Amino acid sequence: MKTQIVDPITIEVMGNAMLSIAEEMSVTLVRTSYSTNIKERKDSSTAIFNSKGETIAQAAAIPVHLGSMLGICKEILNKYSLEEIYPGDMFIANDPYNGGGTHLPDITIAQPVFKDGEIHAFVANIAHHSDIGGRVAGSSSGDCTSIFQEGLRIPPIKICEKGIIKQDILDMILLNCRTPRERLGDLWAQIASNRIGEKRILELINKYDIFMFKQSMEAFLDYSERRIREGIRQIPDGSYDFIDYLDDDGIELDKENLPIKVTIEVQEDSILLDFTGSCNQVKGGINVVKTALYATVYYALKAIIDPEIPSNAGYYRAIKVIAPEGTIVNAVPPAAVGGRTDTCQRIVDVIFGALAKAVPNKVVAGCNSAVTTVLFSGIDPRNKNFFVYPESLGGGLGARPYKDGMDGVHVHVTNSSNLPIECLEMEYPIKIERFELIQDSGGAGKFRGGLGIRRDYKILAPMEFASHADRQKNPPWGLYDGLSGKTGQFVINPDTKNEHILPSGKVSEIELKPGDILSAQTPGSGGYGNPSERSKEKILEDIIKEKNSKREVKDHYHLDL
């Protein structure tokens, strides 16, 4: 038996080769998909796993997607014996409770990679599909009360067998979607992405041989574990806690301020996160399943401890999580989960808030931390086809210990781009009337919080609006005397006598008529440090760039200009 030890240079080469393969899979998926949500906004992710389903490499994309891909590989191995899995097989799943998913629109397709009759890796990708059936077009509104309302649930089943697409499974999925042609194109793109991944991994194995391939993957995991443990050692041992609140669940609006709490125990080179004290799972669709919680925790700790650490399962070994079943951070069926990302974002904020007490120079202030999602649907009069247009909007990134926060960006576990206005207006009967940063939405401080954005949609045909969003009641907090940022809101026909502010960010089936304006206004973010310490030059620059008004400067910086 070989006992060769892989040298550090080979480990680095192999690790980068695996990451390159994941990135090529991502490019293939984006460039061959049909929907604007994937081909323009890149709401998709790709990754490579070893034969045990452990993450080896994830392309730079959407951190929360890791939860779905983490789950499906292990679900496949639990459900199917090795004798039932063949070269060319691909498995599809989306169910949070039986398929390793995190919410139903995120469909994962995974493929084992065989060499000499043995599985040596899995390639997988996930794509947020614009619709997967359910009560509301878009399948992810915040006011569903059960997973059964949210769409078609798919456990891990074969979508391809021995390289052949299973048409009966495909037909069943498409029949349950409102936009089947678009879904078909996106599923084909996902299959193509995996085939590219399989081809490239086999080329790598053939170049280095199976033994070297396996050893390199194990060594790559060990390397990440060593790095994370060394990073944890730089955090003072101790117990750190923090609590923040979600606005509401979209159903019981009288029950506001839903707590998300974490206590973090740091001991030498290990870290434990205990979410005991978070609220029980709720009626609305903002519950989080455990795979999504894990993906969120892994992102948050990597961002603080060592952002450059390879994104693989090696660094998970130093992390332990406690999350009582039946709570909003570890929901049990049939809890609705369509808007789970708003809660995931708040989970990151409480982890950051807790560790700000230990490593203040590495943590940003409270961010917009709400995946302000708009869902428009109806019949396009130009072609008589039904459309579903989903988009998640950015906001403010919290001020940093050394710099202002960023304006109008996605933060934390989401990383999709906005949909360019030209593409939006070409694809849908909607016109953008206004798209701008919201003045004064960033919290004052030595370093100012990033600004939220306002995007006004003019409706050109009858349609329905649905959404999930948060931080419309609880503002993003500041750090070390920095002030809170502004909250967001949805407004129909703003600045008119018919103006109507929606009571919650989690709504559905709001009827809009031609000529209406739906104004989506996202939260800003918190400031860092005392406002009295901000330089006059920076204050004047913000006024010139219209990021702050003179009144804001007078009230919070005590300058009368």
Side-chain angles (χ1 to χ4, degrees):
M1 182 177 178
K2 295 182 180 180
T3 58
Q4 176 185 0
I5 302 299
V6 184
D7 64 273
I9 294 175
T10 301
I11 295 171
E12 185 73 12
V13 169
M14 291 287 280
N16 280 284
M18 299 294 274
L19 181 59
S20 176
I21 293 169
E23 295 285 1
E24 185 178 358
M25 291 170 61
S26 179
V27 170
T28 301
L29 175 54
V30 168
R31 296 191 65 177
T32 58
S33 60
Y34 278 34
S35 66
T36 57
N37 204 45
I38 304 171
K39 71 181 180 183
E40 298 289 349
R41 298 189 59 248
K42 301 179 178 64
D43 196 346
S44 56
S45 297
T46 54
I48 298 169
F49 302 84
N50 65 16
S51 59
K52 295 180 286 188
E54 297 173 317
T55 313
I56 297 299
Q58 182 186 15
I62 315 294
V64 76
H65 283 170
L66 177 61
S68 298
M69 292 188 288
L70 270 176
I72 190 173
C73 293
K74 293 180 180 177
E75 289 288 339
I76 291 167
L77 294 172
N78 288 337
K79 183 176 179 180
Y80 293 86
S81 69
L82 294 178
E83 291 74 24
E84 297 175 297
I85 304 175
Y86 308 102
D89 284 358
M90 290 196 203
F91 299 83
I92 187 170
N94 73 343
D95 188 63
Y97 298 112
N98 297 285
T102 61
H103 78 161
L104 298 181
D106 284 347
I107 295 179
T108 304
I109 298 182
Q111 177 181 3
V113 178
F114 280 82
K115 176 68 174 178
D116 298 334
E118 183 181 349
I119 297 174
H120 296 287
F122 284 87
V123 291
N125 64 70
I126 186 170
H128 182 118
H129 287 250
S130 301
D131 184 81
I132 191 65
R135 180 176 69 86
V136 177
S139 313
S140 59
S141 71
D143 66 347
C144 287
T145 59
S146 165
I147 187 74
F148 296 106
Q149 295 178 343
E150 294 185 314
L152 177 67
R153 301 173 66 183
I154 310 171
I157 54 176
K158 292 184 182 183
I159 186 70
C160 295
E161 189 164 35
K162 299 180 180 179
I164 306 298
I165 294 176
K166 298 186 71 173
Q167 192 63 42
D168 54 346
I169 299 297
L170 193 59
D171 290 344
M172 181 272 293
I173 294 170
L174 298 179
L175 185 63
N176 282 276
C177 301
R178 294 174 175 86
T179 50
R181 180 180 178 275
E182 191 176 84
R183 300 287 65 71
L184 178 61
D186 288 347
L187 289 170
W188 277 342
Q190 290 185 261
I191 290 170
S193 172
N194 278 352
R195 286 177 173 163
I196 283 290
E198 177 196 34
K199 180 180 179 182
R200 295 291 184 255
I201 287 178
L202 289 175
E203 290 173 351
L204 199 62
I205 291 173
N206 290 334
K207 181 176 181 180
Y208 287 95
D209 79 42
I210 291 174
F211 181 77
M212 183 69 74
F213 178 78
K214 284 186 172 182
Q215 272 205 334
S216 295
M217 286 198 292
E218 288 301 316
F220 201 42
L221 296 177
D222 293 342
Y223 169 69
S224 291
E225 180 182 4
R226 289 195 299 274
R227 280 191 60 164
I228 195 72
R229 291 193 184 278
E230 181 57 34
I232 294 171
R233 288 190 187 98
Q234 308 310 310
I235 303 174
D237 283 359
S239 178
Y240 310 95
D241 58 19
F242 198 83
I243 189 168
D244 201 350
Y245 301 89
L246 293 162
D247 294 343
D248 55 62
D249 71 348
I251 305 296
E252 299 178 310
L253 300 187
D254 58 325
K255 295 181 180 180
E256 298 182 344
N257 300 326
L258 308 174
I260 306 292
K261 181 181 179 181
V262 70
T263 300
I264 300 178
E265 302 281 349
V266 179
Q267 186 172 9
E268 296 182 354
D269 63 355
S270 297
I271 191 164
L272 168 69
L273 298 92
D274 186 352
F275 289 91
T276 301
S278 299
C279 70
N280 291 333
Q281 64 187 57
V282 295
K283 288 185 177 180
I286 56 171
N287 300 291
V288 170
V289 295
K290 203 165 189 178
T291 51
L293 172 64
Y294 281 141
T296 303
V297 167
Y298 296 153
Y299 154 78
L301 294 180
K302 181 177 186 291
I304 293 174
I305 296 170
D306 187 351
E308 301 301 320
I309 193 171
S311 186
N312 65 45
Y315 78 85
Y316 309 164
R317 299 169 183 170
I319 302 166
K320 289 184 171 52
V321 177
I322 296 174
E325 279 196 349
T327 59
I328 195 170
V329 297
N330 185 13
V332 297
V337 297
R340 92 284 189 223
T341 39
D342 290 320
T343 305
C344 289
Q345 299 284 53
R346 201 55 40 81
I347 290 168
V348 177
D349 271 0
V350 298
I351 294 172
F352 278 29
L355 289 178
K357 302 169 185 178
V359 284
N361 60 324
K362 289 189 174 184
V363 177
V364 301
C367 299
N368 80 82
S369 299
V371 186
T372 302
T373 296
V374 297
L375 292 162
F376 297 93
S377 61
I379 302 294
D380 190 335
R382 298 171 296 183
N383 54 27
K384 309 303 180 186
N385 292 330
F386 189 85
F387 71 90
V388 180
Y389 157 45
E391 182 170 12
S392 56
L393 305 175
L397 172 73
R400 293 161 279 187
Y402 52 87
K403 196 173 185 180
D404 290 346
M406 297 175 69
D407 305 321
V409 294
H410 283 273
V411 299
H412 300 332
V413 299
T414 59
N415 192 32
S416 54
S417 63
N418 67 354
L419 181 59
I421 292 172
E422 297 83 357
C423 299
L424 190 161
E425 294 181 347
M426 180 174 67
E427 295 266 0
Y428 309 109
I430 296 172
K431 182 180 180 182
I432 299 299
E433 291 282 281
R434 188 169 176 173
F435 190 28
E436 63 188 20
L437 298 174
I438 300 175
Q439 189 179 61
D440 297 334
S441 57
K446 178 180 181 180
F447 299 108
R448 174 187 46 75
L451 306 183
I453 61 175
R454 175 172 175 172
R455 192 158 162 107
D456 286 5
Y457 302 84
K458 184 173 184 179
I459 307 305
L460 304 181
M463 64 183 69
E464 287 189 352
F465 171 73
S467 70
H468 68 81
D470 207 83
R471 285 221 186 277
Q472 297 193 345
K473 300 172 185 176
N474 288 290
W477 36 266
L479 275 176
Y480 298 99
D481 298 323
L483 302 187
S484 297
K486 298 297 191 298
T487 55
Q489 61 181 356
F490 290 123
V491 186
I492 298 175
N493 296 320
D495 308 317
T496 71
K497 63 180 181 179
N498 297 319
E499 178 179 285
H500 173 54
I501 299 175
L502 298 185
S504 172
K506 307 163 188 72
V507 298
S508 66
E509 300 174 301
I510 302 294
E511 294 186 2
L512 300 173
K513 61 183 185 298
D516 282 345
I517 301 288
L518 187 286
S519 178
Q521 300 172 25
T522 69
S525 60
Y528 193 107
N530 196 303
S532 65
E533 299 179 27
R534 187 164 179 81
S535 70
K536 188 173 182 179
E537 290 75 16
K538 285 288 186 183
I539 295 171
L540 292 173
E541 182 181 338
D542 282 343
I543 289 178
I544 292 170
K545 293 182 177 180
E546 299 184 346
K547 293 188 176 185
N548 277 146
S549 65
K550 290 184 178 180
R551 180 172 181 174
E552 178 85 357
V553 166
K554 182 178 180 180
D555 289 346
H556 297 306
Y557 296 105
H558 307 297
L559 284 179
D560 196 355
L561 300 173

